[in-house]
Amino acid sequence: MRFVAPGEHEAGERAWAVVRAAYAEREPVRRPRRHAGPLVAVAILAAVGAAALSPPGRSVVRSLRKAVGVKQAEPALFSLPAPGRLLVTSRDGLWLVHADGSKRLLGRYGDASFSPHGLFVAATQANQLVALDPKGEVRWALARPAPRFPVWTGTRADTRIAYLSGGRLRIVAGDGTGDYAVGPAALTPPVWRPGRRVVYSNGRRAVAYDARAHRRAAVPRLENQPRIVRRGGQSEVVSHGRVVFRGTGVFDDVIRSPDGRWLLVSWPTANQWVFVRLRPRKIVGAARITQQFGPDTRIAGWCCR
């Protein structure tokens, strides 16, 4: 059944009366009959346009916009449904979001990622890679041309950061020392896999290196990682081989909570984040994301237990 806004019919009647009166008062002009159809079409379009511009008509447009997104979503991100902290990037800068919903703007940084235990953050600026503490204080900086996509791995005592710069994959120790180039790389984010192997696409196929830059032929596959699939005008989140969430428009990020129980889906079409608990199933939405973090909001990480 089509949704009818309050007063929609009356608005249409008022618009039609205006068009009909104007048509009746016009000066009679003899025209061929073949022009009657276009005149009627113009009158109908005028009536529809008037109805759409009236307050009831605008309410119909708003109702259609609201059809995209999770119903009963919270008007803002008040808290996280699982332990940990979020790392969020936007045009306004880099945000650290705590489980209680409080957040801190760390500075004007681009790409970012957590250290393995969430003690530090690797982030990029125009021509440098930096390491920050949770208060936004810079611990070290490394000058490199246009660094992108830093990803951190390791233990508390021994960590590595893989990133791209100057068309090459590079690896640096977690304390900012020993930076070296591994090999050529396309503009694709590298990924650390089990066994401390970093994987990236060189434009033709996936290539894997270990943390000491020794090339590995085999690229391990992680089938259980959640992924986004787009089908026509819809997006789907697939986890463990099944669709766990779908919606109209575009999803641009999906990330698992540190305890593994929730998925966080970024849904820019609806300007929402959606938290999906797989078992028992539960969906929690948070709206007005760009108003809270800025345009082009992206989820950079969820860490730690």
Side-chain angles (χ1 to χ4, degrees), residues 145-168:
R148 295 294 309 274
F149 309 129
V151 286
W152 211 327
T153 192
T155 64
R156 287 178 181 268
D158 184 14
T159 64
R160 296 286 187 276
I161 302 170
Y163 68 101
L164 304 185
S165 176
R168 301 185 71 81

Side-chain angles (χ1 to χ4, degrees), residues 86-265:
L86 290 178
L87 201 57
V88 180
T89 65
S90 76
R91 275 193 242 162
D92 288 352
L94 177 62
W95 296 88
L96 183 65
V97 184
H98 296 273
D100 63 0
S102 62
K103 60 184 185 289
R104 177 191 293 268
L105 183 62
L106 299 182
R108 303 286 291 189
Y109 298 100
D111 302 325
S113 73
F114 280 116
S115 66
H117 299 279
L119 301 178
F120 301 99
V121 173
T124 62
Q125 287 184 322
N127 288 299
Q128 65 177 355
L129 175 71
V130 302
L132 311 167
D133 66 19
K135 294 183 179 180
E137 298 293 332
V138 176
R139 292 304 185 94
W140 56 259
L142 181 65
R144 289 292 179 268
R148 295 294 309 274
F149 309 129
V151 286
W152 211 327
T153 192
T155 64
R156 287 178 181 268
D158 184 14
T159 64
R160 296 286 187 276
I161 302 170
Y163 68 101
L164 304 185
S165 176
R168 301 185 71 81
L169 173 69
R170 305 186 67 91
I171 296 178
V172 63
D175 61 0
T177 62
D179 177 78
Y180 57 93
V182 175
L187 197 60
T188 303
V191 178
W192 287 104
R193 295 289 176 89
R196 298 187 67 185
R197 284 183 276 189
V198 62
V199 179
Y200 72 99
S201 169
N202 65 358
R204 297 183 301 276
R205 60 192 177 90
V207 178
Y209 285 84
D210 65 18
R212 298 184 181 275
H214 298 147
R215 183 163 179 161
R216 302 283 184 170
V219 178
R221 298 186 59 170
L222 297 180
E223 299 291 348
N224 294 335
Q225 291 297 312
R227 58 192 177 91
I228 296 171
V229 177
R230 295 194 175 117
R231 305 182 190 278
Q234 281 200 328
S235 294
E236 299 176 344
V237 175
V238 178
S239 179
H240 294 85
R242 65 188 181 93
V243 177
V244 296
F245 183 73
R246 63 164 53 93
T248 301
V250 175
F251 303 158
D252 64 5
D253 290 310
V254 58
I255 190 168
R256 195 183 299 276
S257 65
D259 62 9
R261 299 182 59 197
W262 292 80
L263 297 179
L264 170 52
V265 183

Side-chain angles (χ1 to χ4, degrees), residues 3 16 41 54-55 60 72 112 146 149 158 179 214 226 245 260 263-264 271 274 289 293:
F3 172 76
W16 179 251
S54 66
V60 173
Q72 307 302 322
F149 309 129
D158 184 14
D179 177 78
H214 298 147
F245 183 73
L263 297 179
L264 170 52
N271 195 18
V274 181
I289 295 301
F293 298 101

